[in-house]
Amino acid sequence: MPDNRWMTVPSPDAELMALIDRIGHRDEAALRLLYDRTSPKLMGLAMRVVRQREWAEDVLQEAFLTVWRVAGDYRSSLSPPLAWLGLIVRSRALDLLRRRTADRAQLTQEFDELMADTLESDAPNPADTADASEQAWALHQCLSQLEGRQREVVSLAYLREMSHGELAEQLKLPLGTVKTWIRRGLEKLRVCMGRFA
């Protein structure tokens, strides 16, 4: 009987390359196996970039969707499999951070414009204080005219400074719906506030 002690065991890279090759041929079981083998390390990388577990989980999900789409393009001669996967995770993490920054900047700008239209002066004198009180009352009246979910989205966006993505996630709504509700809500508020001017 032959001695099998010295038989070569496939290297981890060879196993990962074989899985990526199978994914390139649309093998879902291979994708699950690749996820099982690599997700702990890739999650650690995502956490180092985005620093929040929820965001890192989103990054990992997007990264594996990318792997599913581009696995057929992988070339082991250009990059070891784990390095290739790490590059995808890092890229998705940076994309997420850029989106969140852009969402926050857009929300801040929209709210600043609305408040600039509503409260033109910051000078603390009695007339301005009375005017600000009237403006706050008007804003409250206008907010109450928005439909319940839309009012909730607009209020959370500005009072808690939540990004479009954070709102969509917290309220379990599609991102496009959140953006539309905020845009339409702000337009309704501008029109309504104009009546009180």
Side-chain angles (χ1 to χ4, degrees):
M1 186 177 226
D3 186 359
N4 291 332
R5 284 182 303 168
W6 305 109
M7 287 184 68
T8 58
V9 176
S11 73
D13 277 1
E15 180 189 13
L16 296 180
M17 287 186 284
L19 289 173
I20 293 169
D21 184 55
R22 287 172 49 196
I23 294 166
H25 293 94
R26 297 295 179 243
D27 183 337
E28 291 178 22
L31 183 66
R32 281 190 294 277
L33 281 170
L34 184 69
Y35 182 88
D36 291 344
R37 302 275 193 287
T38 61
S39 62
K41 282 184 181 179
L42 297 176
M43 182 67 168
L45 172 61
M47 281 291 293
R48 283 195 298 277
V49 178
V50 299
R51 301 195 182 280
Q52 287 195 27
R53 182 161 193 79
E54 242 176 70
W55 297 0
E57 288 168 354
D58 289 346
V59 164
L60 205 56
Q61 181 179 359
E62 285 185 36
F64 275 92
L65 287 172
T66 301
V67 168
W68 178 255
R69 286 193 307 272
V70 303
D73 298 332
Y74 171 69
R75 298 292 170 262
S76 59
S77 59
L78 299 176
S79 174
L82 205 51
W84 180 71
L85 292 166
L87 194 60
I88 292 172
V89 167
R90 184 176 179 279
S91 179
R92 295 295 77 83
L94 293 174
D95 287 348
L96 180 132
L97 290 176
R98 276 192 288 273
R99 278 195 314 270
R100 297 186 82 75
T101 301
D103 282 353
R104 212 173 285 287
Q106 182 182 355
L107 283 171
T108 302
Q109 180 181 357
E110 289 173 5
F111 191 64
D112 288 349
E113 288 169 4
L114 178 63
M115 288 296 101
D117 292 345
T118 305
L119 307 167
E120 290 182 6
S121 173
D122 292 338
N125 64 47
D128 288 336
T129 302
D131 188 42
S133 180
E134 288 174 23
Q135 298 273 347
W137 179 84
L139 184 58
H140 177 72
Q141 294 300 312
C142 291
L143 275 170
S144 70
Q145 292 178 19
L146 296 178
E147 185 269 320
R149 292 289 280 184
Q150 187 177 41
R151 181 174 55 247
E152 180 183 14
V153 168
V154 170
S155 297
L156 286 172
Y158 298 108
L159 300 178
R160 291 200 189 159
E161 297 182 357
M162 295 176 76
S163 72
H164 291 149
E166 289 169 326
L167 286 166
E169 189 176 311
Q170 179 172 332
L171 300 173
K172 306 290 188 250
L173 292 170
L175 183 59
T177 301
V178 168
K179 289 181 177 181
T180 300
W181 284 0
I182 289 174
R183 187 179 65 251
R184 289 181 183 165
L186 286 175
E187 188 52 42
K188 286 179 185 176
L189 287 176
R190 279 191 184 97
V191 170
C192 180
M193 293 298 290
R195 284 184 249 146
F196 289 100

